[in-house]
Amino acid sequence: MSNYNKIPEVTEIILKWYSKNSREFPWRYTSDPYKVFVSEILLQRTLAAKVIPTFLKIIKKYPSVNELAKSDINELKKYFEDIGLFYRAELLKNISKQISIEFNGKIPEKREDLRKIKGIGDYICNSILCFGYGKRYQIVDTNVVRLYSRLFSFVSTKKDIERDPKLWELAELVLPEKNYVNYNYAILDFAALICKSKHPQCSECPLNKYCGYLNKIT
Ligand code: SF4
C-alpha cells in the first residue's frame, strides 16, 4: 500500500511548515535566472550557508552571463578557495560562454534549450525554470531523493536514483498546481532541517503520521 493518496495533505503540511521555518538565502526570490544558475553551480556538494560569501562576491564581480563568460579563469578560480571543488569555475565559465554565444547572453527559458547546454542537467534546468522564471517544474536532488524515498516509501531500481524517471514522475505528481516555487524551496529546507540524512527528526516531524519510513508502509 502506498500513501500517495495523502499527497494533498502532505503538500499542505510542508507548505505550512515552510511558512514558519524557511531559510533565507540571497539567491532566493530574486526572479533572476542568472543568480539562480550561479547559486545552483555553487551549491553542488556544498552546504548552502558556506556558499553565501562566494556567491555574493561572484555576482558582484560578474553581474551577468556575458561578464562571467569573459572572465579570466584563474581569477574566477580564486573565488573558490573557500569552498573548493575548483572544477565549478570552469563549469560556470563554459556554461556562460555557451549561453553568451548561442542565446545572446540570455538564460533560455525553454526546457529544451536549457538542456542543450553542456553542464546543465535536469536539476539545474528545472531550478532555473522554477526559481528563476516562476514556471511549474519539479526538482529532484539528493535531499529530495531522501525525503521522498522515506516519506512515500519510494524504491528505485536504478543505480542513479536522482535520474530515475519514476522519481521525477512522483515529484511532478506531488508538486502543487499553485505555490510551487515555495513548495520547491520548502522541500529543500524540510530535508535539510527535519528529514536529515543521518538523524531524521521523526518525533517532531509534522509528517510523521503519513510517513512510510516511520510507519513501515510498503
Ligand atoms: S517522519 Fe522522519 S523519515 Fe519521515 S519525513 Fe519525517 S523526518 Fe523524514
Side-chain angles (χ1 to χ4, degrees):
M1 186 181 88
S2 86
N3 51 2
Y4 289 10
N5 60 333
K6 297 297 179 193
I7 285 173
E9 287 91 332
V10 164
T11 53
E12 201 182 316
I13 290 169
I14 290 177
L15 280 166
K16 195 173 166 197
W17 174 89
Y18 180 71
S19 69
K20 295 187 184 121
N21 299 282
S22 62
R23 296 181 298 174
E24 302 298 322
F25 295 114
W27 50 83
R28 286 195 174 179
Y29 302 105
T30 65
S31 298
D32 181 344
Y34 173 65
K35 288 182 182 167
V36 175
F37 151 60
V38 172
S39 70
E40 292 299 346
I41 298 290
L42 298 181
L43 286 164
Q44 289 179 347
R45 296 167 59 201
T46 309
L47 289 174
K50 213 176 163 196
V51 161
I52 294 173
T54 306
F55 169 80
L56 292 173
K57 284 180 208 162
I58 289 179
I59 288 295
K60 191 173 175 199
K61 173 78 180 172
Y62 312 103
S64 70
V65 167
N66 288 337
E67 277 159 280
L68 196 51
K70 286 186 283 181
S71 62
D72 177 282
I73 189 63
N74 291 322
E75 202 177 320
L76 183 57
K77 277 185 178 170
K78 284 190 189 141
Y79 290 95
F80 286 77
E81 279 167 4
D82 291 337
I83 59 171
L85 303 175
F86 289 84
Y87 73 88
R88 293 178 294 180
E90 308 263 6
L91 197 54
L92 275 180
K93 184 172 166 71
N94 291 341
I95 292 173
S96 298
K97 263 167 85 178
Q98 194 176 343
I99 295 173
S100 190
I101 293 165
E102 294 178 21
F103 299 97
N104 267 334
K106 182 181 185 295
I107 298 194
E109 55 181 305
K110 284 191 184 153
R111 196 170 196 286
E112 59 269 31
D113 288 337
L114 273 170
R115 287 297 276 114
K116 279 183 207 152
I117 298 167
K118 204 172 165 217
I120 294 201
D122 285 321
Y123 175 76
I124 294 183
C125 171
N126 282 15
S127 294
I128 290 171
L129 292 172
C130 181
F131 302 136
Y133 285 114
K135 298 186 176 188
R136 185 183 173 277
Y137 279 93
Q138 77 276 43
I139 53 166
V140 172
D141 72 347
T142 48
N143 297 297
V144 178
V145 167
R146 182 174 70 252
L147 176 62
Y148 285 180
S149 297
R150 289 172 175 169
L151 184 57
F152 297 114
S153 305
F154 179 83
V155 179
S156 178
T157 54
K158 306 284 182 200
K159 252 188 184 172
D160 185 354
I161 306 177
E162 271 180 58
R163 290 170 198 243
D164 187 339
K166 291 207 177 313
L167 183 56
W168 282 85
E169 277 170 29
L170 171 61
E172 205 281 329
L173 186 71
V174 179
L175 189 66
E177 290 297 325
K178 293 179 187 168
N179 234 347
Y180 42 80
V181 173
N182 276 351
Y183 180 82
N184 278 340
Y185 283 137
I187 49 173
L188 296 176
D189 289 358
F190 195 88
L193 301 175
I194 301 290
C195 198
K196 298 178 185 185
S197 172
K198 285 194 184 141
H199 303 291
Q201 312 288 298
C202 299
S203 58
E204 64 183 71
C205 175
L207 294 173
N208 55 20
K209 192 168 114 189
Y210 302 109
C211 179
Y213 172 80
L214 202 63
N215 297 291
K216 300 283 179 283
I217 295 170
T218 55

